[in-house]
Structures are given as structure tokens and as C-alpha cells.
Amino acid sequence: MHHVAMSALPSRRDALAGAAAAATLAAVPARAAGPAADAAAMLDRFAWALLAFDPAQATGLGVDTGAHADLRRRLEDRSPAGYAARRQFLTAALAELARTPRTGLDAVTATSLAVADSAFRTALDGMALPYGVATIGSWRNSPYAVIQNVGAWLDVPQLLEGDHPVRDAADAEAYLARLAAMPAQLDGETVRIRAARAQGLVPPSFLLDKTIAGMARTIADAAKADGPLIAPLARKAKAIPGAWTDRAAQIARAAIVPALERQLAELRAERAVATDAPGLGLRPQGPEWYAWGLRAGTTTRRGATEIHALGRAQLTTLQGEMDAILKSQGLTQGSVAERATALQHRPGIAFGNDDEGRQQIIAYMQGRLDAIRPRLPQAFRRLVKGNLEIRRLPLAQEPGAAAAYGGPGSLDGTIPGKVWVNLGDPSIHNKVTIPDLVFHEGIPGHVWQGEYAQQLPLIRSILTFNAYSEGWALYAEQLADELGMYQGDAPGRLGYLMGLSWRAVRLVVDTGIHTMNWSRDRALAEFVAATGLPRSNAESEIDRYCAWPGQACGYKLGQTEIVAQRDRAKAALGARFDLRDFDQAVVDGGNVPLGVLADNVSGYIHQVRG
């Protein structure tokens, strides 16, 4: 969910929107059936209020049906009025949470209340900042309303391609309704970009160059039958009678393209006054924004100096392990990064730089997932399905996106989880880099963990925390290693250690960019030296840290905390410690701030001790 703080005084429209949000909280009376039932009913009301703010998330979860079917026709309001309504909602919800008794509750409900309270407080504090996107329980926080990896120009095509179902004429009409809603969403963002520029907040020039080029391509393709807005409808509605693509093209030509052009004009106005300074340290109120971004991204109060030092220390350890593997492969000359790069260019490691190579990459990813499934009973007491498919990212998104990302599908299983893979430059994927990537994004990483989370109350699928999500996915890579997935696969294990180094150097580079005023070139040099990843991969990573300040620090801090909690449980339980029970406690507790994770592990220890 996108949320932003605006410094302008609320208009009458803002006030009306806020009143409506407050009314939502009172719309469904809680049943007088005891504290747990009352709390559960309140959390459910909160969940549906959040989904009303972000209808695309309702579609992704597959809950935009029945009484909530209208959500399938709508898009999120990204205007100042939309954000004023969210602030009103959060203020009212926090007041209601403060009045809610915490005694007589089951563990799931107690955890859910703690999770909601944490997410709502953090989001409201972010919305008090003068600009930017501050999310309610999500990882997509940015000081920039639109940039190379943020904005409706990317989100709507991905929603329509990936999650929006078209099973009948009503679904196709809903698709068209979403297209018709896109111009207002774009214009709401454009208002916010302009307001931020008036405050002196302009993105780095190199990010704007990527964004302007990407948006120009989107405009050129918007009304085309094979373009990102119409092609998904043409494919999905092929068997449904109706002039669907003609109607979609008309909406795109008449309304979406002009709104995109208005947004592009504002981006070009930003570019005319932009500098190449990558970080927030030199931007108005940037240090305050970054402190909040770190808090939101890590769910801790750790400062940039401590995080930077932790990253340096972990890198030293990991580089030593990588050095030993490289020597075992006969690579003894040059830096660790140079030798890791050389190994990736050996025959049989890389794939072709063409469509056949792209298909081989997807097949290799699938093979690694198939291989780990039989080993999962060694790590979990209770298995979920791991329902997923591997899909190429929409083309417009590839230039600004990471190598891959993944997440679970709909609650009812009809929409599978996805590992979205960036195949714009196939050279970033090979037999060194692929295994840890699919274990991280797919199984036992994001898709796997997400299916456990979806068994919890609805609000817990909506409120997610970057440090837990990404910390679990890194811990999942570690589990794959501990389950023997790299026996006889030295290149794959090198890739695993490279992946950990990549996340450790994020602690160094993210803090360097935003608190030490590093240049983009300095950040790139540090990143490549630590990881050996290709420069094209490194550039999209560094640019992502500039656009989502603090987010990249959640990965390694989250994994470090999960491992610390595992060590604590081992020390407390001795011979009674069982990996399956620990892992089950972590996934069954759901996606939580790291402080709540520690409480959940304490509960597990207490339970085993009896």
C-alpha cells in the first residue's frame, strides 16, 4: 500500500474523506462475545478498511468477491485527499487499539494486536514527514511518489498482467473500470511530485533518466494491442464475447496517455533542476526521512553507524568463506569478487543471452525448487503446499527492477504464488546465482512463508514487515544450505555466500549513500567489490537503495535476528531443541516486527519447557 504525507492544509474534500474513513471503523459493531471475539472483530474491520484503501491488494489476496466485489473495479487513491483519509483512519484505529483489553486473549489475537499497533504507529509517524510514500505494513517506502520502481505507471500493468482475473464479462468490465481509474491515480501522484519539488525534494538525475525513458516507452505502447495495458486483457478475455480490446484502447488513447504525458512533463521539470547526489543527506529534511526509513525497513531503532559497522564485520567473515571455495575451484589470483566473476564465465555456468537462454534459466530455477521439496520435512513440522509459478517480469518494469522477487498467491489457492524474474539482461542469472535466488523468493522463502501467514486472520496477510519477510527469505537460503542443497555444487554454494555478502554490503552501502554522502560511483565500487555481481545488476541495486532508503537494511538485520533467536532457543532448551519446532514457531507466528518475533520465540521456549 502506498501512503504519503502532505504538508498542505487539508481541504474540505480531505475532511470528508477522513470522516468517511472514521465511519468505516464504526460501520460493523463488535459482538459482545468476550475480549478475544471483540478484538478479532475489530481487526477484521481494520483489514477491510485497509483493503478499501488498496483494492489491488484485495485482488492479489483473492478476496475481492461477493460483498466486496466492487474492489475489483477500483484502484488506490494516491491524491492528497486519499492520504488524508488514511491518516484519519490510522489515528482512529490507534485510539481504538489503546482502548482494547489485552487480557483473556489467545496467542494469535494478542500477536495480531501487537502487529497492528506497531504497523499503524510507524505508518502515522511516516505520514508526518513532509513528503514521500509511507506505507501501512509494507516495504515500499520512498521519498519519491514516482520514480524508476515506484508509481502507477508500473503498478497498474503488473496488477493487470499478474493478479487481475478475467473469468467472465464482469471481470472484463472490472478490468476496463481499472483502466478508466488509472488517469486519476496518475494525476494524484503528479500533484504530489509537484508539491515535493516546491519543497526542494527532487530525485537524483540518474533515477529520473531511467524513469523518463521507461515512461516514454509505456506511453508509446499504452494503446497498442500488444502493449502492457491491453495485451493482458486480449489474452485473458479471448473466449469472452465483447469488444474488450477496442474499448481498452479507447480508454488508453483518450485518458491514460494524456495523464502519463502530464506526469512525464513533471518528471522532466524535475530533471531540469536535478543533481546527481544519490542520498537523502543533502535533501531537505532528508536525515529525518532516512531515520524513519531505517525504522520502517528494519523494525528496530538501530542507527546508521551501528548498521554500517555490522555490515563491514559480516562481509569480512563471508569473504573468507568465499575465498576458500574459489581456491578449491582453482581460482587463486585476484580479489574474491574478480574470481567469483571469473567462475560465472566458465563453460556450463552461464546461459545464452537470447530467448532460448531465458527459457533455460526458468527451467533451471524450477529444477532447484523441485529438488528442495523432499527435504522440507527435516525443517518443518507442518508443510504447506508451496503453490507457485515462475513468471517473467513485465518488460516495462525490467530496467528498474531487481533480479527477481516473489510472494504467495491468493488465499484460496486459485491464483498461485509467483517468482517474478527479471530477464531483460539474462547474463545476471547463471548456475552460481540462481539457486539461492529461488530458495529466497520461492521455497522455503517468500512464497512458502507467505502460505503460513495466509492461515492467520486477514489483517496479517495485509500487514507485512520488511525485516521479517526478507530476514526469513535469507534464513530460508541458510536452511537450504543446512539441508544439503549445495553438496557437490560448489558454484551454487559460492552463489549462496555471494547472496549473503550482497545483503551484508547493503548495510554498508545504504547507510553510506544516505548518511555519508557517498557518490553513486563509490556505492557501485563497494557493491561490486563485495559481491562480484555484474555491473548491470549492481546498478539496479544501487538505484533501488536510492529510491527506497532503508529498505535494503531489513534483509541482513532480519536474518541476523532470526539466527540470534535460534541460538537463544538452543541455549535455553539444550537437548530439547528441535529445528522443526523452532522453524514452525517462526512461520506460525506470522509476519511480525522483530520485537514481536522475540516474544513469539519466548513463548515457544516456555511451551517446550512446559
Side-chain angles (χ1 to χ4, degrees), residues 138-151:
S138 176
W139 44 266
R140 295 183 63 172
N141 302 301
S142 177
Y144 312 118
V146 177
I147 202 61
Q148 90 281 6
N149 55 1
V150 179

Side-chain angles (χ1 to χ4, degrees), residues 1-82:
M1 294 175 68
H2 290 262
H3 303 283
V4 73
M6 298 296 295
S7 59
L9 292 171
S11 65
R12 181 172 178 276
R13 183 180 167 203
D14 295 348
L16 289 171
T24 301
L25 295 180
V28 182
R31 295 181 303 278
D38 290 349
M42 176 186 70
L43 290 167
D44 201 49
R45 284 187 283 119
F46 290 171
W48 287 108
L50 291 171
L51 292 175
F53 287 129
D54 187 6
Q57 193 172 25
T59 299
L61 292 170
V63 296
D64 55 350
T65 59
H68 305 287
D70 187 58
L71 292 173
R72 192 170 294 182
R73 303 175 57 83
R74 292 171 43 208
L75 295 176
E76 179 185 9
D77 182 352
R78 297 183 180 178
S79 70

Side-chain angles (χ1 to χ4, degrees), residues 5-11 14 80-81 84 87 127 129-131 191 195-196 199:
M6 298 296 295
S7 59
L9 292 171
S11 65
D14 295 348
R87 291 197 299 275
M127 291 178 196
L129 297 165
Y131 51 73
V191 167
Q199 298 174 50

Side-chain angles (χ1 to χ4, degrees), residues 149-295:
N149 55 1
V150 179
W153 72 285
L154 295 168
D155 296 340
V156 175
Q158 188 174 349
L159 167 66
L160 298 177
E161 165 66 31
D163 288 337
H164 187 104
V166 182
R167 302 187 187 103
D168 53 31
D171 285 346
E173 291 288 358
Y175 187 113
L176 294 175
R178 278 188 157 150
L179 286 182
M182 188 180 178
Q185 188 177 57
L186 288 162
D187 286 339
E189 292 174 338
T190 303
V191 167
R192 289 165 38 221
I193 305 171
R194 198 172 296 127
R197 178 161 60 92
Q199 298 174 50
L201 189 278
V202 174
S205 56
F206 53 90
L207 294 190
L208 285 166
D209 288 341
K210 271 191 174 179
T211 312
I212 288 167
M215 194 167 291
R217 284 193 299 272
T218 296
I219 289 170
D221 294 341
K224 292 181 179 175
D226 60 352
L229 296 174
I230 300 173
L233 181 61
R235 187 182 72 253
K236 296 179 183 184
K238 194 184 304 183
I240 303 169
W244 308 114
T245 54
D246 290 346
R247 292 171 63 191
Q250 172 61 22
I251 294 167
R253 276 193 304 269
I256 296 174
V257 167
L260 284 166
E261 287 174 339
R262 289 190 290 274
Q263 193 164 97
L264 181 60
E266 177 52 43
L267 292 170
R268 287 185 168 139
E270 286 189 306
R271 182 62 180 86
V273 295
T275 72
D276 62 1
L280 283 176
L282 299 177
R283 288 179 164 80
Q285 292 186 259
E288 293 90 338
W289 205 102
Y290 186 58
W292 178 83
L294 277 180
R295 174 184 158 200

Side-chain angles (χ1 to χ4, degrees), residues 34 126 143 217 244 257 287 290 293-294 305 398 466 469 508 527 561:
R217 284 193 299 272
W244 308 114
V257 167
Y290 186 58
L294 277 180
T305 303
E398 287 182 338
N466 176 61
S469 300
V508 175
F527 184 89
E561 181 63 19

Side-chain angles (χ1 to χ4, degrees), residues 93-118:
L94 282 166
E96 191 169 353
L97 281 165
R99 296 192 300 268
T100 301
R102 303 301 168 100
T103 54
L105 303 178
D106 59 279
V108 169
T109 303
T111 298
S112 296
L113 290 173
V115 164
D117 191 83
S118 176

